[in-house]
Amino acid sequence: MSGHMNEPIVTVKDVVTRFGEVVVHDGVSLSVNRGEIYGLLGGSGSGKSTLLKEMIMLLQPSSGEINVLGRKLQTISAADSADLRRRWGVLFQAGALYSSLTVEENVGIKLREYSHLPEKLVRDIVAMKIDMVGLPANAAGLYPAELSGGMIKRVALARALAMDPELLFLDEPTSGLDPVGAEAFDRLILEMRDTLGLSIVMVTHDLDSIWTIVDRFAVLGERKVVAEGRLAEVLENPHPVVRQFFSGERGRLRSRNGK
Ligand SMILES: Nc1ncnc2c1ncn2[C@@H]1O[C@H](COP(=O)(O)OP(=O)(O)OP(=O)(O)O)[C@@H](O)[C@H]1O
Ligand SMILES: [Mg+2]
């Protein structure tokens, strides 16, 4: 990943987002470099998921500009946008798997829909992704209701990786996991980045993830980015929203001395 570190893969410029009278973003700007794990941090309702949805073209900002993989999303053609969607994988906050489909079918859904690969090859790729995220081969035949929370997250990650994306968008990937499960999942995300050379944009509430796997991050607050950078830089930031995040009882300023 060295050599690519300063090449932006996602840029957000002056984004304003309104839902009726409610202004969620009022001039949000940030940039994600190729090869990094980039965190989006901020209180509940600060617009993290909304921003993520704008990056993957599920929502349109009211104004401003978003570039992903060198394409300007506001002016992209339908054909180019279909192309672009195949180059990223997404793990949504609700993590929803299709409950009526097996693990195998959930992971393979995009391959079967878009790739036109022969069924035998699809099955091999799916088995490989299931193995890659640390699930046993016999999980393939199970239904979501038969899985633990941690397994569901892994299946959702395998599904996001199915099309060999360059870029992954993860919305609260460790939410709902216990600390041990969350740490294991963080390690898996790091390993995927390192072995597959991915770039990752990750919404998180989890300060442990920020301390351990995130390279740089933005803190959303007061409808803007109130801080952006590496942990050591953001920790120096005097903005009250930042102080609140990192100095509360659940922060880590008192128990650790930085990374
Ligand atoms: N489609 C929508 N229509 C109207 N309002 C919306 C819509 N999507 C999001 N909002 C509002 O935008 C604000 C930001 O929501 P968002 O889901 O982006 O927050 P978040 O930072 O992801 O919060 P959390 O940490 O709780 O997931 C909220 O006030 C929400 O009610
Ligand atoms: Mg959210």
Side-chain angles (χ1 to χ4, degrees):
M1 83 203 188
S2 58
H4 296 290
M5 278 310 269
N6 290 315
E7 181 193 334
I9 193 161
V10 178
T11 58
V12 173
K13 211 173 150 235
D14 299 328
V15 159
V16 175
T17 307
R18 281 185 222 99
F19 293 111
E21 298 287 286
V22 180
V23 180
V24 177
H25 305 126
D26 187 16
V28 165
S29 300
L30 56 82
S31 83
V32 179
N33 297 322
R34 189 175 286 274
E36 42 183 29
I37 300 181
Y38 188 96
L40 287 176
L41 190 68
S44 194
S46 61
K48 305 178 297 294
S49 295
T50 301
L51 189 61
L52 197 87
K53 286 176 192 157
E54 290 171 343
M55 290 175 181
I56 59 175
M57 300 191 287
L58 289 183
L59 283 175
Q60 275 264 30
S62 312
S63 67
E65 202 180 295
I66 301 180
N67 270 264
V68 180
L69 293 159
R71 299 307 181 88
K72 195 193 277 190
L73 303 187
Q74 282 68 40
T75 54
I76 197 167
S77 69
D80 283 353
S81 85
D83 229 48
L84 204 52
R85 284 173 207 275
R86 280 168 222 187
R87 294 172 64 193
W88 64 57
V90 185
L91 194 158
F92 288 103
Q93 184 162 14
L97 301 176
Y98 297 100
S99 59
S100 63
L101 302 182
T102 64
V103 166
E104 207 280 342
E105 291 162 340
N106 267 286
V107 174
I109 196 156
K110 281 208 168 169
L111 287 164
R112 293 192 169 100
E113 193 173 345
Y114 297 116
S115 71
H116 312 295
L117 294 171
E119 177 57 24
K120 164 82 175 74
L121 187 53
V122 168
R123 248 181 270 139
D124 288 349
I125 294 171
V126 169
M128 192 181 81
K129 304 295 174 183
I130 288 173
D131 180 59
M132 192 183 267
V133 298
L135 289 169
N138 65 14
L142 300 177
Y143 287 89
E146 301 172 300
L147 305 175
S148 72
M151 290 171 87
I152 288 173
K153 297 281 186 188
R154 283 171 195 262
V155 176
L157 183 63
R159 186 173 61 183
L161 292 170
M163 302 281 283
D164 294 326
E166 296 159 60
L167 179 57
L168 266 187
F169 293 97
L170 311 174
D171 197 344
E172 307 255 12
T174 58
S175 73
L177 299 182
D178 65 36
V180 173
E183 196 202 324
F185 203 77
D186 272 349
R187 259 187 281 115
L188 178 62
I189 292 169
L190 189 60
E191 189 186 315
M192 295 295 111
R193 191 277 303 273
D194 290 344
T195 57
L196 304 174
L198 295 167
S199 307
I200 299 176
V201 179
M202 180 169 127
V203 173
T204 185
H205 267 129
D206 189 344
L207 288 183
D208 284 321
S209 301
I210 298 284
W211 287 96
T212 55
I213 68 162
V214 164
D215 295 307
R216 288 194 315 128
F217 62 103
V219 181
L220 296 187
E222 298 172 349
R223 297 176 288 282
K224 295 193 185 329
V225 172
V226 297
E228 186 193 27
R230 298 187 164 274
L231 180 61
E233 294 162 346
V234 175
L235 287 178
E236 299 289 307
N237 193 303
H239 196 287
V241 172
V242 179
R243 302 327 309 157
Q244 196 188 338
F245 252 103
F246 288 99
S247 60
E249 264 311 297
R250 302 176 63 217
R252 292 293 183 279
L253 283 180
R254 290 175 196 152
S255 51
R256 291 199 215 169
N257 301 313
K259 190 162 77 163

